Amino acid sequence: SQVITFGILGAGFMGGKTYPRALRTANQIAAPLGVQIVPHMIYVRNPKNHDAVRGLTGIQNVTANPDDVINGCDVICNCLPNNEHLPFSLKAFTAGKHVMCEKPLGDTLEAAETLAAAAKTAGTHTLMGTCYMGADAVSTGRKIVKNGAVIAKSDTTPPWFSGRFSFLQDWRIGFTGNWRFENGVAGPGGILDDLMQHSLSVAFGWLGKRHRVTDVKADLIYADGTNENIRFFDGTDSRAKGLAVDAATALVRFEGGSTLNFETTRFARSHKAFSWAELNGDNGSIAWELQDGQLLKHSEYRRSDGSSVPALQRGWTSIHCSGGEHGNVLSVPGLTQGYETYFANLMAAFAIGIAQNNKRPFFKLGDETVSPFIPDFDFGLFLQRITSTMLASGYEGGVWKKFD
C-alpha cells in the first residue's frame, strides 16, 4: 500500500480534536483500497502544551516550528486562524505539498484569490474543510440532483428551482475570547465565512456548476458586546466598521430567476448546531438536517418517465443513508455516523486521489464505482466570492449586487 503522511498546523478544536480523529477514521476507509493515511506531525506554538497535545491526539511528533511539519509531511492540514491560511498554505505549496485548509480559504477575498492561484501554479491536490459534503446523506442528495430527480433538465431555458438553507448556533451572547469575533483575525465576513460557507457548500455541492449565479443580496447584523444586554446594528451603521458579521440573511439569484434563501446567526438561543438544507425543483425535493444527519428527506413530484406522482402518494420520505449504495464503508447499514466521519470521508477520497494522481478519484464499493465530490480550492474561492458579495451588499443596506 502507498503511505501518505498528514501534518497538522494548529491544535485548537479542529487541529487538536477533529482532524486527528478524522484521519484515523479515514485510514480505515482508505487502507483496504491500498492507501495508508498516517497522522504524522502537529505544530503547536507553545512548547508547554506539547505533552498535553500528544496525549489528546496520539500524535507523538509535536513541534513548535511549522516548517518541520511543512517539510516533513506529504499533506499539510491548515487549521490555523483565518489570517494564517494564506502565509502557511503558500509555504506548503512552495515546498510542493498537497494542502487541506479550513474554511474560509482566506481572511479576505484577495487572500483567497492569491491562494487559489498559487494552488493552480503548484499543481498539487487541495481540499477545503467544508466537511458536510462528506456526509453520506448530503452526497446522496448530490447524486439524486445529478440524476434529474429534483430539477427538470432543459437544453433551451434555465430550469426552475428554489431552496432554503439555515445554520443557527448559540455562541455569541455571553461568549468571549474567541478569535472568530475579531475582524483582524477572522476577517470582516465573520459568520459569513464560517456557518454561511457551510450552507453554501451544501447548496452548491448539490447544484454543481450547471447553474450560473447572477446576483446576491444580504442584510447583516452586528453586535456591540458579549453580555445579555447586547445591542444590535446593521451593516450600514458606523458602529459596524472594523467588526466581523454576527448574523445574516441572504438571497442568491440565478440565471432565469431561480433563488435560494440563506440564514445564519450566532444568536439562536439553545441551538447547538441546527442546520437545514432544502432544494426544490419541478421533479421533486430533497432536504437534510444536520442534527438528524444520517437521513435524507426526499419528495417526488414527477417520475423518471415523466408521469406525475398521484396527489395521494405525494409527501416526504426519509432515506437512511448507510451502506455501500450511499458511499458508507464504515458503519453497519442502519446505524449512524458522527461529525468527524464527514471529514474522514473527504480525507480518504482526497488521499486516494493523491495516490491515483487524480483530482477526481474513483474507487469500488461493492459492485459500484464511486467518484466522490472533492471541494477543492477553486470551490473554496467560489464560496468566498459569494460571501464577499453578500458583505458588499450588506454594507449598502441589502441592495442586489451583480455576481461576476
Side-chain angles (χ1 to χ4, degrees), residues 67 70-71 73-74 76 85-99 114-115 117-124 126 377:
D67 290 342
I70 291 171
N71 295 324
C73 301
D74 301 315
I76 309 305
H85 289 179
L86 176 62
F88 286 95
S89 297
L90 283 179
K91 270 192 169 186
F93 285 133
T94 300
K97 305 298 181 173
H98 310 287
V99 181
T114 299
L115 198 45
K120 280 189 170 61
T121 300
T124 54
T126 61
F377 279 18

